[in-house]
Amino acid sequence: MPANSWKAPQEIVDLVDEIKNKSHLPRLEAASIAVVIKDEKPFVNDKLNLGKVSKFSLSAKMWHQKPHDFCITIPADLWATVLNEDQKKAYIDLQLTRCQVEYVPETTEINGKKKAIKDEWGCVKFTNEIKLDTEGNPKWKVSGLDLEVLTSNIRRYGLWYDELLEFKETIVAAVEQ
C-alpha cells in the first residue's frame, strides 16, 4: 500500500458491511471487500473525486492473510470534510454497486458450437447463474460509473451530490423541449 494510503478505520468498514448486508445481498454475499483511505483531494478538475473500486488480482490475494475480492479507495478529504452522514452512506452504496459478479451468458448451439445470445442492441444476454473460477469461487468484475450503476444508487439514496442534481435538471429540460 502506498505511503499516502492506509486501512480505513473500523467504523467505515462496519458501514460498508452494513450497507452491503442491507442492499447488496445475495449478489455480494461471498465478496470480501477491503477499504482504504487515500490522501487525495475531494475535487479534481472541479468534479467530486469519487475515489475508486478495484478488483484484487490473484497475485495480490497471495500477500494477504484474508484475501479480498475488491478494494474501495476513499479520498480522505472527501470523507472527512465534504460528505455528510447521509452522503457517506450513499457514497458507500455507489461503490458497492460497482462491485459485480459475472454471470454465465445465455447460449444457443449453432453448427455444433455454443454461441452467446444477443438482444436487439447486440448486447449479450446472461442467465442468473454465477460464473465460477477453476476453484469454484465467484468471478468478479468492477462496473464503471455508468447509468445502470447510478440509477441503482439513486433509487436507494436519491440525488445525493451536485452532479446528479445537474443531470436531473438536464433530463427535465430535455423532456420539456
Side-chain angles (χ1 to χ4, degrees), residues 11-75:
E11 70 239 20
I12 296 175
V13 173
D14 291 345
L15 182 60
V16 169
D17 287 340
E18 175 189 324
I19 293 169
K20 175 184 165 188
N21 291 332
K22 177 182 174 188
S23 302
H24 298 278
L25 297 183
R27 178 178 52 82
L28 293 180
E29 189 167 5
S32 176
I33 301 168
V35 187
V36 173
I37 305 294
K38 188 170 183 183
D39 188 17
E40 288 185 326
K41 295 177 182 178
F43 296 93
V44 175
N45 297 326
D46 295 326
K47 301 223 182 283
L48 196 62
N49 177 4
L50 292 172
K52 70 178 187 174
V53 176
S54 53
K55 192 174 90 164
F56 269 69
S57 67
L58 288 176
S59 59
K61 287 182 179 187
M62 292 182 350
W63 300 104
H64 291 84
Q65 287 179 330
K66 179 185 177 193
H68 298 289
D69 300 299
F70 297 100
C71 181
I72 296 173
T73 303
I74 302 172

